[in-house]
Amino acid sequence: MTEVLKPGSSEPPENIYLPHLAAIKEIREETQDIKTFKLVFQDEELRKSFTYKPGQFIEFSIFGVGESPFCLASSPTREGYIECSIKKMGKVTQAIHDLEEGDIVGIRGPYGNGFPVEEMKGKNLIFVGGGIGLAPLRSLIWNVIDRRDDFKDVIIVYGSRSIADLVYKDELKQWQNTPGVKLTLTVDPGGEAEDWKGEIGFVPTILEKVNPSPGNSLVITCGPPIMIKFVLVTLNKMNFSSQQIITTLERKMTCGLGKCGRCNIGSVYVCKDGPVFTYAQIEQFQEEI
Amino acid sequence: MTEKIVSKEDLKKILEGLMKTSELLAPGKEGDLVLFKPVKNPEEVFFAYPNSLKPVKEFFFPPREELFKHEIREGKVGLSSEHQENRKRVIWGVRPCDAKSLLMFDKMFDGEYKDSYYLEKRAKSVLVGLACNEPLDSCFCLSLNAGPHAKEGLDVLITDLGDDSYLVEGITAKGEELFQGCGKESGEGERTRKKELEEAAKKKIRKTCQPPPDLESFFEDPYWEKVSRKCISCGVCTYLCPTCFCFDLSYEGRDCIRFWDSCSFSPFTKMTSGENPRREKKTRYRQRVYHKFSYFKKNFGEIACVGCGRCLRECPVKVDIVEIVNQCSKDKTKD
Amino acid sequence: MIKRLQEKVGKLLREKKVALVIGYEMAGDGISTTPCFIEREDEVERLVWNEHCVYNLSRYLIETRELASSPSPKIGVVAKGCDVKSIIGLIQENQIKRDEVVIIGMECEGQFDVEGERQFKVEGLKLKDKDKDKDKEGKLLEKCKACEVHIPKVYDLLIKDDRNSGAPEPQSPEVNAYAQVEELEGKSQEERWQYWKKEFARCIKCYACRQVCPLCFCPQCIADQTLPQWISPSPSLKGNTTWNIVRAFHLAGRCIDCGECERACPMKIPLRKINKKLGKEIKEMFDYEAGLDSEAKPPLADFKLEDPEEFIR
């Protein structure tokens, strides 16, 4: 008990639960049930001072409804705003989908460790994403593209159930046209259309076909648990070590502060010590992931 | 540290004084329950009780707490966080086990992210301890670096010496302050009496909690399925536990509130997607045991249990966490 | 009685008639009992029967039902007359099948709640001291005072009380089961509201009432729903009142008055009074009592064409 408020002190300590106000600047419909929200903080100072790492998350408040954690999908290299891509699932996300441009929401954060961007410098990066799992990867991909010289080759394998379920469709084209970036898109069998030029097949299968080399490489993967499970099998086959595989874990992260008690895996709190982990770290957990 | 002897009359006068100058909370009877509540009459303050049903954590981490309010006016949102008045709060009659539990709360809420709501209440509170002369069969504080007369976490400790005289031991300045100018110096005989009472109380505590040093190695053991079978997954043990601090956040109307939640409940970890890492009862019970005896220790260097015994006494089906933790290694060696 | 109980259970397990028997064993304090699960014949010695077997074990039948698949092993359950009523309720509501349970009925003269003897916690008396000067009348569970099922109405095996061999069945005393309810009914609406407000204010939302209840088996409780959120999850007078009343209404015509909710409640909210009041209403309106007939349709889960109410037709 060192830095507590002295009785009578006029300066209250910072309130860790109080969100910052942010206005919705833009809403983009990515798919039938996913929207991307561009948010700008009301406080001008905060617009400049709010810094974050790809892979970190925020707690998104709809006043009077609830609060939920979402990863930051924008890149810290693009200043002045943040973006979150949100899939309509439950009470809070439904309310978020009902928002209009100009509405005010609450934002707490950023929380979590984020991707080890420094360690990625000078390496080949292989991004493997599925569905809305591309959102945290997008933050890192833009970060890498904006600092292209710091990183080596970029391979992106991204898939979804159907063409309609692919997110960031316009950006995918931009990535494709970036030198040193190789993008492979795929949809699950049956999710294609006649003019589909990408691959057809599940992400792990297509990853195997792309066959990236493990030399001086890191894999960053995010997507539904079942996809991750088989991506790991594939990577193992291709001789990637568990230290080379980075992913984000999903848990119910109510407070984001390592206090509320529900996101722990053993003594590790996903909201504070994660959500980004190497597969080598995950292998050490006793609980099943 | 000062020691003095005060009479029952002295204590009553002190209580009367504190009622005027501070917010005074002390144990009292409510029907068949012993609960801490605001003191309206010093006569109602209850001294001879084993422990309160609810631990004093409720005054630092309330079952339901309004964090801030929001107001939407002309399309604009305003937030306001009313911090409570900083009037001194005296909590009278805290048992040593409960006082110790607050030091664990400090680790949690005064840690990396400082929780102002908790810290403000901590800063304005004075804890007046009451030594246990009559611990219950279900108490096991001795095996957890605590004891019936332990001073850790308290500001002052009172020991009932019988014959309407009390030994008051000042621990911190704000504790000593309460007893300024009253009572008389303690004598050798009184100090000996206090020692005897402490030893006698210690002897009454026969239950011991001895978690195996290699608790981690039992994680996958079928033992957890077996011992959690009768657990009904209610929140009694966690809500009445002085060291359990899990909570949920929610909006109710204009208020953002924080309220107690429990790892015993299945929805506690259930994500909107439907995924639930602790869907099975076994995993939830194991989480409770491991959080107390392994994870908290790993993160903060101490077992998150003070041996108050509330979970044993109040469990609707008599799940005994001490037995379960102690037996865990024995059960393994049997296989 | 214990010996015979152990023998019978041992036989059931030996002959593979049951996969598991849910019964009572002694708790660590040496006085109260605790639920136990017996799977092997060599474990039967753990089983006990005494006047502290307060738990309604039928609650566990929902969790163990996947183990039972007729005609292969069934689940055995040690049950008092009152507990059998909730087993009937579970059968009525298609939660378990009659032929999947072996009801080991116990003749019971009433239970004494050790845990409910709050005095030892309040005054610091030791359990053992307390037990010595047992004042039976004072500590008999409230529900037992008006018991009419000392011998269960339905069972597969019956363990009779040795003390009563040859003697006539114990007679239920002339106790008005609704005395407490009637006392409340006699008060004004305002007085009743003040009474319940005070009681519900204590609720800490631990859900022990729901978790211990044999008939609270909904896979998703209304209290846990978020879309929409019917009941505010935090402990506030509003949320507490909604919760306790919603639960009572959902149990109307289903509650068999085992009193487990009230016993489990750490804040000692008199939940039996609410449930009993609704039970009384159901009895007066539909001449129906829960837990007596596994073939009967609970009145609130059924309708009749001749129902006088307009809305139902």
Side-chain angles (χ1 to χ4, degrees), chain C residues 77-89:
Chain C
V77 59
V78 178
K80 308 182 287 287
C82 47
D83 306 336
V84 165
K85 287 188 184 180
S86 57
I87 298 176
I88 289 172

Side-chain angles (χ1 to χ4, degrees), chain C residues 145-148 171-177:
Chain C
K145 289 179 185 164
C147 176
E148 288 172 357
Q171 288 297 305
S172 25
E174 290 297 310
V175 174
N176 177 7

Side-chain angles (χ1 to χ4, degrees), chain A residues 1 5 13 15 17-19 21 61 63-64 66 89-90 252 254 258-262 264 266-267 269 272 286, chain B residues 68 77 79 81 108 110 112-113 115-117 123 216 220 246-247 251 258 261 267-268 270 278 287 295 299:
Chain A
M1 290 277 298
L5 178 72
N15 187 335
Y17 301 101
L18 199 65
L21 297 178
S61 252
F63 297 109
M89 304 270 282
K252 195 171 179 182
T254 298
K259 297 193 194 302
C260 79
R262 44 173 77 57
N264 72 302
S267 58
Y269 282 78
K272 202 156 70 72
Q286 282 188 307
Chain B
F68 60 85
V77 179
L79 298 179
S81 165
M108 207 53 219
D110 194 9
E112 195 177 330
Y113 290 100
D115 190 305
S116 53
Y117 299 94
E216 284 72 26
E220 292 297 342
C246 289
F247 62 82
Y251 283 98
R258 166 169 73 181
D261 205 346
F268 184 64
K270 190 180 172 191
R278 294 201 281 265
Q287 160 69 17
Y295 309 153
N299 290 335

Side-chain angles (χ1 to χ4, degrees), chain C residues 81-313:
Chain C
C82 47
D83 306 336
V84 165
K85 287 188 184 180
S86 57
I87 298 176
I88 289 172
L90 290 170
I91 296 166
Q92 255 179 314
E93 299 189 24
N94 301 317
Q95 294 305 307
I96 52 170
K97 295 198 184 95
R98 176 66 186 94
D99 58 6
E100 286 176 356
V101 262
V102 173
I103 302 172
I104 303 156
M106 305 302 291
E107 181 174 357
C108 170
E109 283 196 72
Q111 293 294 321
F112 300 81
D113 186 4
V114 181
E115 204 184 342
E117 294 169 13
R118 313 278 317 177
Q119 237 184 338
F120 81 90
K121 289 177 200 164
V122 177
E123 309 288 2
L125 294 172
K126 288 298 161 88
L127 267 176
K128 291 182 195 80
D129 305 338
K130 206 62 203 159
D131 208 50
K132 261 182 249 160
D133 57 82
K134 200 177 284 174
D135 156 24
K136 285 215 165 189
E137 268 320 291
K139 278 169 244 147
L140 184 67
L141 287 188
E142 203 52 44
K143 68 165 179 180
C144 301
K145 289 179 185 164
C147 176
E148 288 172 357
V149 281
H150 297 287
I151 290 178
K153 292 278 179 257
V154 179
Y155 54 79
D156 296 295
L157 300 166
L158 179 69
I159 313 286
K160 300 253 310 167
D161 194 327
D162 313 321
R163 293 168 294 183
N164 295 342
S165 53
E169 271 186 41
Q171 288 297 305
S172 25
E174 290 297 310
V175 174
N176 177 7
Y178 297 106
Q180 289 189 335
V181 171
E182 280 162 12
E183 190 198 325
L184 263 179
E185 284 172 342
K187 293 184 191 288
S188 71
Q189 191 180 356
E190 180 58 24
E191 282 171 325
R192 292 200 304 270
W193 171 232
Q194 290 306 328
Y195 174 82
W196 286 112
K197 225 161 88 172
K198 192 165 169 252
E199 297 296 336
F200 291 152
R202 282 204 306 277
C203 174
I204 54 171
K205 287 270 181 86
C206 69
Y207 296 114
C209 49
R210 172 184 77 187
Q211 296 304 109
V212 82
C213 177
L215 288 155
C216 266
F217 51 72
C218 293
Q220 193 187 25
C221 175
I222 191 169
D224 295 333
Q225 273 179 38
T226 54
L227 260 178
Q229 189 146 51
W230 298 100
I231 301 169
S232 74
S234 74
S236 62
L237 184 61
K238 190 171 121 195
N240 295 353
T241 308
T242 323
W243 161 244
N244 285 292
I245 291 178
V246 164
R247 200 183 93 88
F249 269 81
H250 197 195
L251 285 166
R254 303 171 61 231
C255 170
I256 52 88
D257 191 28
C258 66
E260 282 287 87
C261 47
E262 184 171 308
R263 184 188 63 78
C265 177
M267 303 312 293
K268 294 296 150 210
I269 300 169
L271 296 167
R272 264 189 79 227
K273 280 189 200 169
I274 327 172
N275 293 328
K276 236 159 144 99
K277 165 69 181 166
L278 287 164
K280 184 170 175 259
E281 295 288 322
I282 296 284
K283 195 176 176 187
E284 284 164 5
M285 274 192 268
F286 302 100
D287 190 27
Y288 176 85
E289 265 186 86
L292 299 180
D293 177 6
S294 60
E295 300 295 314
K297 283 265 185 207
L300 298 188
D302 192 24
F303 74 98
K304 288 196 175 82
L305 283 173
E306 59 272 23
D307 195 291
E309 292 293 341
E310 281 291 331
F311 74 90
I312 215 154
R313 280 178 284 180

Side-chain angles (χ1 to χ4, degrees), chain B residues 29 32-33 48 50 53 64 135 137 229-230 232-235 239 252 257 259 265 281 314-318, chain C residues 32 34-35 39 55 59-60 63 115 118 121-124 126 204-206 211 232 234-235 263 266-267:
Chain B
K29 275 193 211 179
D32 281 346
L33 311 174
L53 175 64
R64 178 186 190 276
D137 286 348
R229 207 161 194 179
K230 70 181 174 188
I232 60 169
S233 295
C234 72
Y239 285 2
E252 279 182 9
I257 54 156
F259 54 100
F265 301 150
K281 183 160 78 175
E314 305 300 333
C315 174
V317 290
K318 295 244 178 265
Chain C
S32 40
T34 181
E39 282 168 301
Y55 318 99
R59 183 230 168 261
Y60 295 104
E63 287 172 18
E115 204 184 342
R118 313 278 317 177
K121 289 177 200 164
V122 177
E123 309 288 2
K126 288 298 161 88
I204 54 171
K205 287 270 181 86
C206 69
Q211 296 304 109
S232 74
S234 74
R263 184 188 63 78
M267 303 312 293

